[in-house]
Amino acid sequence: MHLIISATDKQKAIEILAEEYLNADNVTWMFRKKTKRNVRMLFKILFNEAKAKKGAFITESSSGVLFLYRQDIQKQAFANFFLKLYVLLFVAGISRGLKALKWQKTVNSIRPKEGMLGIAFAISNDENKMKTSFEIKREIKVISTESKLTIYAETTVPRIKILYESIGFEVYHEMEHEFADLRVWFLKSS
């Protein structure tokens, strides 16, 4: 696994994320329309933030993506201002966009401010799926051990919760989503 630095890796990473999250209600609940283009716009924002904080990774096979970075890094991607405005106005719409901002504020009030944040990961549904899954699991453990920092993540997907638990994460909080019919698990590395 390596940091994403090339435009090709960036495009591949965003495409993997868009494909895997297109039908994920935990992401698309705020969109007017569930389109791959809209999901791509959201992940461009998340990519820019992760890259600015040196936390945008792609697997060696280019089949898996992980956004994981230290929360104490204050760098912001300037380009994100305009992307966020575009998403607020045209992808989500004002009403849903404001709900998304309110939801993010709720999540931020629950999540500890120190440690590392795992904001997104996805694996292509291809012949490398199992190998890629093991590579990401191994990399998360290595990063956690080497940094000596707790990693925090959230999920609404039961199988992803089980995946996190299989690599040593534990649930520290759970709740119902305010604006979607979803259960949210807040996890931390142990």
Side-chain angles (χ1 to χ4, degrees):
M1 185 166 266
H2 60 273
L3 284 172
I4 297 171
I5 52 174
S6 73
T8 303
D9 281 349
K10 174 186 173 180
Q11 279 184 306
K12 181 68 176 173
I14 290 171
E15 193 57 36
I16 290 169
L17 289 159
E19 183 70 33
E20 296 305 311
Y21 282 87
L22 179 60
N23 294 309
D25 290 337
N26 62 327
V27 170
T28 60
W29 68 268
M30 68 179 134
F31 295 158
R32 285 188 205 170
K33 294 180 183 176
K34 292 182 183 183
T35 66
K36 195 183 276 191
R37 182 180 183 279
N38 288 347
V39 177
R40 274 190 207 105
M41 292 301 295
L42 176 65
F43 282 109
K44 283 180 183 180
I45 292 168
L46 296 178
F47 169 80
N48 288 340
E49 186 173 331
K51 185 177 183 204
K53 297 177 181 183
K54 297 188 180 357
F57 300 93
I58 193 163
T59 60
E60 297 309 321
S61 64
S62 296
S63 296
V65 182
L66 173 65
F67 294 168
L68 174 67
Y69 51 80
R70 293 175 58 116
Q71 293 189 83
D72 61 351
I73 297 174
Q74 297 301 313
K75 280 188 153 184
Q76 295 293 322
F78 179 72
N80 269 359
F81 173 78
F82 297 106
L83 284 173
K84 287 178 181 179
L85 186 60
Y86 179 86
V87 168
L88 176 71
L89 295 174
F90 302 109
V91 174
I94 300 292
S95 177
R96 290 180 187 209
L98 292 174
K99 287 178 181 177
L101 291 173
K102 183 178 179 192
W103 174 246
Q104 191 59 50
K105 185 176 179 181
T106 300
V107 168
N108 289 340
S109 73
I110 294 167
R111 183 191 306 134
K113 307 295 182 258
E114 73 281 347
M116 299 186 82
L117 180 60
I119 199 73
F121 83 89
I123 299 167
S124 290
N125 197 10
D126 62 16
E127 68 277 355
N128 295 318
K129 190 170 188 156
M130 289 303 290
K131 181 180 176 187
T132 302
S133 177
F134 286 119
E135 182 180 349
I136 288 176
K137 285 168 65 170
R138 184 180 61 246
E139 193 66 26
I140 290 171
K141 281 185 174 186
V142 167
I143 290 170
S144 180
T145 302
E146 287 180 358
S147 70
K148 296 182 175 93
L149 295 171
T150 302
I151 298 174
Y152 296 95
E154 296 90 36
T155 188
T156 61
V157 182
R159 68 180 173 77
I160 301 299
K161 174 187 171 276
I162 292 167
L163 174 77
Y164 276 121
E165 290 172 330
S166 76
I167 59 173
F169 280 69
E170 59 189 43
V171 174
Y172 68 90
H173 185 75
E174 63 182 273
M175 64 185 281
E176 295 301 317
H177 196 292
E178 286 179 76
F179 305 108
D181 186 23
L182 298 167
R183 182 130 198 97
V184 183
W185 291 281
F186 293 76
L187 300 116
K188 67 178 183 175
S189 61
S190 47

